[in-house]
Amino acid sequence: MLEIALKGSKRYYGWIAFLLVLIGIGSMAWLDQLINGLKITGMGRDVSWGFYISQFTYLVGLAASGVMIVLPNYFHGYKPNKHMVIFGEFMAIAACIMCLLFIVVDIGQPTRMLNVILHATPNSILFWDMIVLNGYLGLNLLVGWVCLQADRARLPHPKWLKPFIYTSIIWAFSIHTVTAFLYQGLPGRHYWLTAILAARFLASAFCSGPAILLLVMMITEKFTTFKMPKKAVSTLVKIIMYAMCVNMFFFSLEVFTAFYSNMPGHMHPLVYLFAGYHGHTELVGLMWTFIGLAAVSITLLVTPKFRNNFKLLPWTLGILVIATWIDKGLGLLIGGFNPTPFHTITPYWPTAKELLVSMMVYAIGALVVTILFKIATEVKEELGQAQAMPCGCSTEDECDCTPECGCTDQCTCKEA
């Protein structure tokens, strides 16, 4: 099926070329890092993890997002989203690749990756993180590709694949749990030293990940004939709503525990993030922006009138993604390192070269998504599955059609 990715419009080739240019620019910054070391980044002795690890942490949530589509379909027989399952699996592949690439650029020399395999240390959480990420990547590659090939041949999915599908669903929970253990295993970092961190990671993943997936799918709809069934979108948005509410509830529990118990080690990182500490207020504005955007997104999602407004939905999801990224993709990491064990503040901001290397990784991820989604949408078009109709609905929708909608005789979609 790879030959499908080699055929496309000028706009498709232009987008591929644009991504390759971004990858090339970022590669130059990475080569500079390979030559001069991590001193080109904003990291140092006190902040030894930076933008690379924070993006890795956030993207693990995106990798786990596909399970919110796969699980209802296979565990509960929820069929309205069956044609979206392949996109969730392909998004997980791209996210896993980006996660692994952020680890590669963070360790400095890529050859150090071999140490994890050649000198395996099962008592290290990083070893298990490597296992679960590569395992999840392999499972989604196997399941997604075999299922799409079977669909294209108009054959049922092989029975031998089912154990791998169910394993991938359970495995999705492990990738973020083990990633949380990386943070929780550092007793000197009080902001991360909490038993609920893994639960926070999962709640954040199950709201931000599906939100990003839906946004990418909406963009896909603009340039292809694929159309998500409205019922499937509505169900996924409800899942996002509940997950975001749980995410913020868990965050409020952290705040209550820290301040009600009056534990300095747990209070000071929150004070630094939201009020400033020792005159350092670098993140205060961003963190209150996170609170404001989270409140706005929850309000829009909880209110049925706004949640069911498909024109407003992209903005709602965008606000949610920005809010969760500020919290998990920036504040979580910097707040964990500050204040230092010496009760000092070491401000951290990614350097321009650090951002360029990150841009390279994101561009590679976007390239993978583009190619895989191109293949999936072309196969769906061949099969006539979940296709856009003149009235704006999907062929999978069920409603009462009117003559004014412009449907053809073969149109089975109806405007609600």
Side-chain angles (χ1 to χ4, degrees):
M1 293 187 293
L2 284 173
E3 71 278 1
I4 296 175
L6 302 176
K7 302 174 183 177
S9 63
K10 290 183 179 180
R11 184 166 51 190
Y12 170 72
Y13 287 120
W15 172 246
I16 295 293
F18 174 69
L19 291 176
L20 291 175
V21 169
L22 295 183
I23 293 170
I25 295 172
S27 298
M28 298 302 294
W30 185 45
L31 287 174
D32 186 20
Q33 179 179 298
L34 290 176
I35 295 170
N36 296 305
L38 291 171
K39 69 179 183 180
I40 72 163
T41 70
M43 293 182 282
R45 183 197 65 179
D46 294 330
V47 182
S48 53
W49 289 348
F51 196 72
Y52 300 150
I53 294 299
S54 68
Q55 300 316 292
F56 154 75
T57 306
Y58 191 75
L59 288 170
V60 169
L62 178 58
S65 67
V67 76
M68 290 294 98
I69 297 177
V70 179
L71 189 151
N73 184 65
Y74 286 102
F75 276 17
H76 302 286
Y78 184 76
K79 297 307 178 185
N81 68 357
K82 63 182 179 181
H83 298 304
M84 293 172 60
V85 169
I86 186 64
F87 296 99
E89 291 166 341
F90 280 176
M91 178 63 80
I93 292 171
C96 284
I97 290 173
M98 286 189 285
C99 288
L100 294 170
L101 287 176
F102 270 118
I103 294 295
V104 170
V105 298
D106 181 73
I107 60 177
Q109 293 295 331
T111 52
R112 291 174 182 164
M113 291 186 299
L114 296 175
N115 291 334
V116 182
I117 301 171
L118 298 178
H119 307 286
T121 51
N123 62 329
S124 168
I125 298 296
L126 187 60
F127 170 79
W128 291 108
D129 208 32
M130 181 268 294
I131 295 293
V132 295
L133 277 174
N134 283 284
Y136 194 59
L137 172 61
L139 284 169
N140 279 282
L141 274 170
L142 174 67
V143 172
W145 200 257
V146 171
C147 285
L148 193 61
Q149 280 187 322
D151 289 342
R152 194 185 188 194
R154 291 178 169 81
L155 296 172
H157 296 168
K159 291 183 178 180
W160 60 264
L161 195 63
K162 278 194 174 182
F164 293 98
I165 294 172
Y166 294 135
T167 301
S168 71
I169 293 172
I170 299 170
W171 206 289
F173 291 87
S174 73
I175 60 174
H176 228 350
T177 301
V178 175
T179 301
F181 288 169
L182 281 174
Y183 287 85
Q184 290 175 250
L186 301 174
R189 307 297 177 181
H190 297 281
Y191 191 46
W192 303 333
L193 191 61
T194 167
I196 206 173
L197 189 64
R200 279 186 62 195
F201 273 24
L202 288 170
S204 173
F206 294 151
C207 62
S208 62
I212 295 173
L213 177 60
L214 273 182
L215 287 172
V216 175
M217 290 299 301
M218 289 174 184
I219 296 172
T220 303
E221 288 182 336
K222 297 290 184 182
F223 299 100
T224 67
T225 60
F226 183 81
K227 184 72 176 178
M228 293 182 288
K230 292 180 179 179
K231 189 175 181 180
V233 174
S234 297
T235 301
L236 191 55
V237 170
K238 288 179 183 177
I239 293 173
I240 293 170
M241 173 192 70
Y242 288 122
M244 185 60 177
C245 291
V246 172
N247 179 41
M248 294 309 296
F249 173 66
F250 285 165
F251 179 77
S252 65
L253 293 180
E254 296 278 27
V255 175
F256 172 81
T257 303
F259 286 94
Y260 190 78
S261 64
N262 203 30
M263 295 176 62
H266 291 275
M267 289 168 49
H268 291 162
L270 289 168
V271 171
Y272 167 64
L273 290 173
F274 288 95
Y277 192 77
H278 290 336
H280 289 276
T281 59
E282 296 87 3
L283 290 173
V284 173
L286 273 175
M287 295 308 295
W288 282 109
T289 300
F290 146 61
I291 296 295
L293 293 179
V296 170
S297 65
I298 289 176
T299 301
L300 294 174
L301 288 170
V302 170
T303 309
K305 179 181 177 181
F306 298 137
R307 184 177 67 242
N308 297 325
N309 186 332
F310 283 9
K311 292 183 179 179
L312 181 62
L313 185 59
W315 297 98
T316 304
L317 298 177
I319 291 170
L320 184 148
V321 169
I322 295 171
T324 52
W325 183 86
I326 293 173
D327 173 38
K328 190 176 173 186
L330 201 61
L332 176 77
L333 186 133
I334 300 176
F337 281 112
N338 284 294
T340 68
F342 299 104
H343 298 284
T344 59
I345 298 295
T346 303
Y348 164 79
W349 287 108
T351 63
K353 291 180 179 179
E354 211 170 342
L355 293 175
L356 286 175
V357 173
S358 301
M359 179 188 72
M360 174 192 73
V361 175
Y362 273 113
I364 292 173
L367 181 63
V368 173
V369 167
T370 300
I371 292 172
L372 293 179
F373 276 35
K374 164 74 171 174
I375 295 171
T377 53
E378 291 286 340
V379 171
K380 294 295 181 184
E381 186 176 2
E382 285 180 21
L383 300 173
Q385 297 174 344
Q387 295 299 291
M389 301 307 292
C391 63
C393 297
S394 168
T395 53
E396 307 301 317
D397 291 324
E398 297 177 1
C399 34
D400 295 326
C401 202
T402 61
E404 292 79 15
C405 74
C407 296
T408 62
D409 294 336
Q410 293 77 28
C411 179
T412 58
C413 79
K414 316 270 195 294
E415 187 86 287

